[in-house]
C-alpha cells in the first residue's frame, strides 16, 4: 500500500498562549517550556465536517482518484457533536463517494490504526483505493475553566488517499488498558431502568503519567518495528511523530540518537490536533517538498486508551495540482 494523495485543513482562528493567559491561570513561558506550543487553531466559525471535507478534497485532488473510485472511507475521530451518524457518513455524500464508510476511534493514534486497517483491506483485495480522513475537535471536550488540558489540544483535519503499491513496509499497533489517565465521559440519556445520573466529564488527564506512558510506549514501538525490519534509527530519513509535545518528541529522539532535522514539528503552531496531527504534518512536508521520493519514514503516535501505533514506509513523491496559495504555512 502507498500514499498517493494528501490534504489538510485548519480552522482560521489563531489562539496564542497570551490569549489563554487572559482567562486561565497560565503563561506563555509555562506552556512554551513544558510543551513547545506557541499558538493553536480552534474552531469558531467553521464546523469539523467542513474541515474534513476541505482536507479530503485536497487529498483526492492530489491523488488523481475520482471520489466515485474510492472503495472505502475511514474517518479517524475521537468525538464530535454527532454520535450517530458517523463523521464518515456525514462527509461521504458531500465528497461524492459511493462506498462503505466507518469511523474509527484510536484516540491520537487513530490515523495509524486507520492506515493499518486500510493496508489489510488492500492486501486482501477488499479495496483498491481508500480515503482516510482524520478530523478532530478536542477543543470541544476540554475543560475551558481549567488550564490542564485546554492549553494543549487544538482542532484540525488531515487526509490521505492510499492505494495498491510499494510503500508501507510494516505496522505495529498496541493497546493496553489505562482508562484512568486520559478520558472524556459524555452524558447519556436516562432510562426508566437506569436512573444513575449521567454527566459529562470534560477531558481529564494525568499529565505526568501520560508523558511517561507515551515516551515508554513510543520508544518501544520504534525499537521493535526497526529491529523487526532489519533497520536502525540511521536508516530512517524522517520521523513523523504525533505532535503532542516537544519534550516527548525530544525524549524519543534522544533515545534513538538521531539528529533534530529528522524530526519535523508543527505543534508550535497548531498544538495537539489528536489523530489529525500526523496527516497534517505529512501534508505540509509533502507539499513543501521536504518529503522526497524514496525517503524512509517512521510514523509513531500514542493516545488515550492507552493505544499506540507505528509504521515504516518508503515515500513516493506526489504531484500536486497548481494552487494559488499554499494551504497554510510550512512546517518548521
Ligand atoms: N499553566 C500553568 N501551570 C500549570 C498548567 C498550565 N497550563 N497546567 C498545570 N500547571 C501546574 C500544575 O498544577 C503544577 O502545579 P503545582 O506544582 O503547584 O502542583 C505545575 O504546573 C507543574 O505540573 P507538572 O505536572 O509537574 O508539569 P509537567 O512538567 O509534568 O508538565 C504537562 C505538564 C501536561 C505539560 C506534561 O505532563 C505533559 O506534557 N504530559 C503529556 C500530555 C500529553 O501529551 N497529552 C496528550 C496525549 S495524546
Amino acid at each position: 500500500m502507498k500514499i498517493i494523495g494528501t490534504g489538510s485543513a485548519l480552522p482560521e482562528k489563531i489562539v496564542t498562549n497570551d490569549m489563554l493567559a487572559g482567562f486561565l491561570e497560565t503563561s506563555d513561558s509555562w506552556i512554551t517550556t513544558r510543551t513547545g506550543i506557541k499558538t493553536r487553531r480552534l474552531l469558531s466559525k467553521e464546523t469539523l465536517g467542513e474541515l474534513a471535507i476541505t482536507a479530503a478534497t485536497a487529498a483526492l485532488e492530489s491523488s488523481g482518484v475520482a471520489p466515485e473510485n474510492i472503495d472505502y472511507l475511514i474517518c479517524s475521530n475521537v468525538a464530535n457533536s454527532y454520535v450517530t451518524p458517523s463523521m464518515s457518513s456525514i462527509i461521504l455524500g458531500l465528497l461524492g463517494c459511493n462506498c462503505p464508510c466507518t469511523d474509527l476511534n484510536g484516540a491520537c493514534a487513530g490515523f495509524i490504526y486507520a492506515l493499518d486497517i486500510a493496508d489489510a483491506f488492500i492486501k486482501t483485495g477488499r479495496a483498491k483505493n481508500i480515503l482516510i480522513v482524520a478530523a478532530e475537535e478536542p477543543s470541544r471536550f476540554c475543560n475551558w475553566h481549567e488550564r490542564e488540558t485546554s492549553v494543549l489540544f487544538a482542532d484540525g483535519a488531515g487526509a490521505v488517499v492510499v492505494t495498491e503499491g510499494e510503500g508501507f513496509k510494516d505496522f505495529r499497533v498496541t493497546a493496553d488498558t489505562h482508562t484512568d489517565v486520559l478520558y472524556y465521559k459524555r452524558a447519556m440519556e436516562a432510562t426508566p431502568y437506569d436512573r444513575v445520573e449521567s454527566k459529562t466529564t470534560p477531558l481529564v488527564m494525568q499529565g505526568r503519567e501520560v508523558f511517561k506512558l507515551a515516551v515508554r510506549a513510543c520508544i518501544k514501538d520504534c525499537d521493535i518495528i526497526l529491529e523487526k525490519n532489519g533497520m536502525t534509527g540511521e536508516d530512517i530519513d524522517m520521523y513523523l511523530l504525533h505532535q503532542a509535545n516537544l519534550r516527548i518528541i525530544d525524549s524519543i529522539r534522544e533515545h534513538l540518537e538521531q539528529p533534530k532535522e529528522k524530526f519535523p514539528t508543527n505543534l508550535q503552531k497548531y498544538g495537539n490536533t489528536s489523530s489529525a496531527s500526523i496527516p497534517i504534518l505529512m501534508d505540509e512536508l509533502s507539499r513543501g517538498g521536504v518529503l522526497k521520493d524514496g525517503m524512509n519514514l517512521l510514523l509513531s503516535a500514542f493516545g488515550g486508551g492507552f493505544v499506540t501505533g507505528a509504521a515504516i514506509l518508503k515515500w513516493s513523491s506526489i504531484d500536486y495540482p497548481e494552487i494559488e496559495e499554499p494551504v497554510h504555512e510550512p512546517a518548521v
Side-chain angles (χ1 to χ4, degrees):
M1 178 179 86
K2 65 176 182 178
I3 293 174
I4 54 167
T6 69
S8 60
L10 290 146
E12 244 178 74
K13 177 105 191 140
I14 300 174
V15 177
T16 65
N17 292 343
D18 284 336
M19 285 161 78
L20 299 183
F23 62 94
L24 290 169
E25 211 180 303
T26 191
S27 65
D28 175 46
S29 73
W30 192 95
I31 302 170
T32 306
T33 50
R34 296 293 210 292
T35 70
I37 299 166
K38 296 294 285 181
T39 61
R40 72 279 295 136
R41 302 286 187 101
L42 299 180
L43 284 165
S44 56
K45 294 195 281 261
E46 321 86 335
T47 65
L48 186 63
E50 285 164 355
L51 285 193
I53 286 167
T54 305
T57 303
L60 283 166
E61 281 173 4
S62 58
S63 73
V65 177
E68 59 271 24
N69 291 330
I70 293 292
D71 306 310
Y72 214 101
L73 167 54
I74 304 174
C75 182
S76 167
N77 172 259
V78 174
N80 66 86
S81 48
Y82 278 93
V83 175
T84 191
S86 62
M87 178 58 76
S88 54
S89 304
I90 293 169
I91 61 179
L92 178 89
L94 293 167
L95 288 170
C97 297
N98 176 23
C99 62
C101 69
T102 189
D103 279 14
L104 175 156
N105 180 351
C108 299
F111 177 64
I112 299 177
Y113 263 76
L115 285 169
D116 185 35
I117 289 169
D119 186 53
F121 267 58
I122 288 174
K123 273 195 182 124
T124 53
R126 294 278 305 275
K128 182 170 179 258
N129 303 314
I130 299 180
L131 173 62
I132 298 172
V133 187
E136 302 282 12
E137 50 182 344
S139 74
R140 296 304 299 264
F141 52 87
C142 287
N143 185 345
W144 283 89
H145 300 291
E146 288 179 4
R147 59 193 182 178
E148 272 71 18
T149 55
S150 49
V151 303
L152 306 176
F153 290 94
D155 310 323
V160 295
V161 175
V162 289
T163 194
E164 296 160 335
E166 293 296 310
F168 281 86
K169 240 173 134 60
D170 202 7
F171 286 92
R172 173 178 158 81
V173 289
T174 78
D176 194 0
T177 304
H178 286 286
T179 47
D180 53 340
V181 295
L182 189 58
Y183 64 88
Y184 161 52
K185 271 178 75 177
R186 208 158 26 190
M188 300 289 278
E189 303 303 321
T191 81
Y193 313 104
D194 184 351
R195 293 183 181 277
V196 177
E197 197 188 354
S198 176
K199 274 199 330 204
T200 287
T201 310
L203 194 66
V204 173
M205 184 184 71
Q206 293 177 27
R208 284 188 173 198
E209 252 336 279
V210 171
F211 191 102
K212 281 189 260 172
L213 281 167
V215 171
R216 229 181 283 141
C218 287
I219 284 177
K220 190 170 172 190
D221 282 351
C222 291
D223 285 348
I224 290 178
I225 198 167
L226 284 170
E227 196 190 338
K228 189 168 160 234
N229 289 280
M231 299 170 92
T232 68
E234 299 282 313
D235 299 317
I236 299 297
D237 299 298
M238 220 159 252
Y239 293 83
L240 273 51
L241 306 188
H242 172 40
Q243 300 290 295
N245 180 312
L246 215 49
R247 288 195 301 157
I248 294 178
I249 293 175
D250 271 342
S251 305
I252 300 165
R253 182 180 65 74
E254 279 162 23
H255 168 81
L256 292 165
E257 296 180 337
Q258 293 300 300
K260 262 202 158 88
E261 306 76 69
K262 286 191 177 185
F263 293 75
T265 55
N266 60 10
L267 65 88
Q268 297 88 339
K269 294 181 295 181
Y270 305 143
N272 178 348
T273 56
S274 188
S275 75
S277 86
I278 292 180
I280 291 172
L281 181 66
M282 184 181 272
D283 182 50
E284 283 194 336
L285 295 170
S286 179
R287 284 176 194 265
V290 180
L291 298 184
K292 306 239 187 297
D293 216 38
M295 270 187 167
N296 286 322
L297 307 183
L298 195 157
L299 318 181
S300 172
F302 55 89
F306 206 77
V307 294
T308 72
I312 293 179
L313 68 146
K314 197 174 271 300
W315 186 255
S316 300
S317 57
I318 296 167
D319 284 331
Y320 290 94
E322 288 291 320
I323 46 168
E324 278 168 24
E325 284 174 28
V327 179
H328 38 79
E329 296 161 46
V332 289

